[in-house]
Amino acid sequence: MALFLDSCDHTAGQWDFIFRQPKQVVTASLQWPEVLESALNSLPVYQGPSHLPFHGGLAGAWSYDAGRALETIPAIAQADITLPELCVGLYTQALMRNRKTGETWLLAPTEELEALQTFWLTQPDSKPQPTTFELLTTWQSNMSAVEYADKFAQVQTYLRAGDCYQINLAQRFSSLYAGDTWNAYELLRKNNNAPFSAFMQLEHGSLLSLSPERFLAINEHGNVETKPIKGTRPRATDSKQDQQLAAELQSSPKDRAENVMIVDLLRNDLSRLCIPGSVNVPKLFAIESYPAVHHLVSTVTGKLTSTDHNIQLFAACFPGGSITGAPKIRAMEIIDELEPHRRSFYCGSFGYFSQHGRVDTSIAIRTLVATRSERLQNVQQGTIHCWAGGGLVADSDCASEYQETFDKVARIIPVLTQQFGARQS
């Protein structure tokens, strides 16, 4: 199980990580927070430089459906992706690159360090060419425009009835593929430049994430930060029009209302394990711009009552409110009723938990899940899925929300289609 946490060349990123050869792998458990805490506490004492972000610990991916171990959610949506609900490893080996200084650090137990140094230093310069990536079919959504409109109307009924005040609704695009998904990831990272990107190779598939959204970051002193995204506008090629779209987003009463709903949800989530009075909102309605879209982003901070509560806080906030709606549990119930298929790792999380208390995790939006169905003459084949959604409120417009889902994947699906094969239908 290999994992690459990639900050790309984004100004918000500093460290890249490659994790290899986990000592333990957790893939499914009804008590995964407790299992992960136990694994983290089993590590030997770290004896390296204190300034490094990872001193040994946990790293991996949590699917959106890992939330079913935390709350009782109905099983209505079809579970057609047969990957584990989480893939988290306990690592004592990691390669860390500081993009700002150019330094690369190798973490490993003392008894393994010499062999690993020899391994890395003696690797040949020439590498075998990986099998190219190819889309075999056009992308197909799991709901038509008419079906989306029907589900949008059902969401509005729930909102008017008072079940929720925001509900996230997503559609899924799928295509058959052949070849190496790493090639697809390399292309996508160049086109998205997202600070919380990730690639994970699993036994029966792979995960490709181009996420711009931080879920939870915690430092070794217990200071917590989360940066929910809620509010989106497409980018324009004309700079004046592009600036107008960003200004329109920042001043939009609807988008600001959506954003503050999720800010309030996260303030409540953080307050469950943070010191009373420590939860604050230092930034509200900031604009962050990416190659495909402008986003409205807020920042919520707090301080944990104990630095031993990192995994407990992650579980208390999981999955992130920006991709469920609010109140969270009722929104998740409605999502399971209206979306035809379970979300798998879309809207889950990637990240790491270091044994000295440092944590950084993402919300897995702009994320693709590839499953392998067979190997034909050593060429892997399977199905690749990509999702896009948005938070719906009482004054949402159906046509605008439907178009927003396409805006969000404008640097994913069309890019893959243009480079690797079949055209989108």
Side-chain angles (χ1 to χ4, degrees), residues 31 47 59 69 85 93 126 128-129 140 145 158 177 189 191 215 225 231 239 257 259 270 282 284 312 343 397 402 419:
Q31 293 83 34
Q47 296 180 332
E85 291 186 348
Q93 293 185 17
S126 60
Q129 285 296 109
Q140 299 293 329
Y158 281 123
Y177 80 95
R189 70 182 299 276
N191 281 271
F215 181 27
E225 178 186 83
S239 60
N259 193 287
L270 263 58
L284 193 63
Q312 292 179 43
R343 292 180 170 185
D397 173 73
Y402 185 63
Q419 181 69 25

Side-chain angles (χ1 to χ4, degrees), residues 24 51 87 108 119 139 180 185 220 242 315 361 367 400:
Q24 178 183 344
H51 73 280
C87 296
F119 171 80
W139 293 91
D180 193 338
Y185 177 74
E220 53 269 39
D242 192 56
T361 59
T367 294
S400 298

Side-chain angles (χ1 to χ4, degrees), residues 143-154:
M143 60 179 80
S144 66
V146 172
E147 290 169 330
Y148 180 92
D150 178 65
K151 296 174 189 300
F152 179 92
Q154 292 180 66

Side-chain angles (χ1 to χ4, degrees), residues 286-331:
I287 292 291
E288 291 188 5
S289 299
Y290 295 89
V293 292
H294 298 291
H295 278 313
L296 198 62
V297 185
S298 294
T299 302
V300 185
T301 61
K303 187 174 181 62
L304 282 173
T305 54
S306 170
T307 54
D308 295 329
H309 291 166
N310 290 350
I311 294 175
Q312 292 179 43
L313 181 68
F314 180 82
C317 297
F318 189 86
S322 65
I323 46 74
T324 59
K328 183 187 293 186
I329 306 308
R330 183 63 183 127

Side-chain angles (χ1 to χ4, degrees), residues 124-393:
D125 292 334
S126 60
K127 299 178 181 178
Q129 285 296 109
T131 305
T132 187
F133 181 82
E134 180 184 5
L135 294 172
L136 303 178
T137 62
T138 58
W139 293 91
Q140 299 293 329
S141 174
N142 64 352
M143 60 179 80
S144 66
V146 172
E147 290 169 330
Y148 180 92
D150 178 65
K151 296 174 189 300
F152 179 92
Q154 292 180 66
V155 167
Q156 292 299 316
T157 299
Y158 281 123
L159 294 173
R160 288 192 298 270
D163 285 61
C164 291
Y165 44 92
Q166 184 174 164
I167 299 168
N168 187 285
L169 179 66
Q171 61 174 319
R172 187 183 80 178
F173 305 94
S174 304
S175 173
L176 298 180
Y177 80 95
D180 193 338
T181 52
W182 173 253
N183 287 354
Y185 177 74
E186 285 189 301
L187 177 68
L188 292 174
R189 70 182 299 276
K190 291 176 184 176
N191 281 271
N192 288 271
N193 192 35
F196 299 99
S197 296
F199 180 86
M200 191 169 192
Q201 189 66 61
L202 307 176
E203 183 179 0
H204 299 293
S206 50
L207 311 176
L208 301 74
S209 188
L210 300 310
S211 176
E213 185 170 0
R214 168 170 278 155
F215 181 27
L216 289 175
I218 308 172
N219 69 13
E220 53 269 39
H221 306 295
N223 296 309
V224 182
E225 178 186 83
T226 182
K227 298 187 68 175
I229 290 175
K230 194 51 66 179
T232 303
R233 290 293 186 278
R235 299 297 302 269
T237 54
D238 178 77
S239 60
K240 185 176 180 180
Q241 183 184 3
D242 192 56
Q243 291 172 6
Q244 289 175 340
L245 287 166
E248 174 191 307
L249 172 61
Q250 192 165 42
S251 62
S252 164
K254 170 194 169 290
D255 291 289
R256 290 164 74 96
E258 279 187 43
N259 193 287
V260 80
M261 289 176 191
I262 302 307
V263 166
D264 282 344
L265 187 156
L266 283 164
R267 288 174 63 241
N268 290 334
D269 282 349
L270 263 58
S271 294
R272 295 163 69 179
L273 287 161
C274 285
I275 296 170
S278 72
V279 178
N280 295 294
V281 185
K283 289 185 180 180
L284 193 63
F285 312 141
I287 292 291
E288 291 188 5
S289 299
Y290 295 89
V293 292
H294 298 291
H295 278 313
L296 198 62
V297 185
S298 294
T299 302
V300 185
T301 61
K303 187 174 181 62
L304 282 173
T305 54
S306 170
T307 54
D308 295 329
H309 291 166
N310 290 350
I311 294 175
Q312 292 179 43
L313 181 68
F314 180 82
C317 297
F318 189 86
S322 65
I323 46 74
T324 59
K328 183 187 293 186
I329 306 308
R330 183 63 183 127
M332 292 175 70
E333 292 172 348
I334 295 169
I335 288 168
D336 202 72
E337 174 192 335
L338 296 182
E339 293 184 8
H341 303 93
R342 289 192 184 182
R343 292 180 170 185
S344 184
F345 284 90
Y346 169 66
C347 291
S349 186
F350 290 83
Y352 69 86
F353 289 75
S354 175
Q355 65 172 315
H356 75 302
R358 182 159 171 170
V359 176
D360 207 358
T361 59
S362 71
I363 297 283
I365 54 175
R366 315 296 128 78
T367 294
L368 301 93
V369 175
T371 58
R372 290 196 297 271
S373 56
E374 61 178 311
R375 282 183 175 269
L376 182 63
Q377 297 179 344
N378 294 322
V379 176
Q380 60 190 39
Q381 294 184 337
T383 305
I384 188 165
H385 307 280
C386 179
W387 291 256
L392 306 182
V393 294

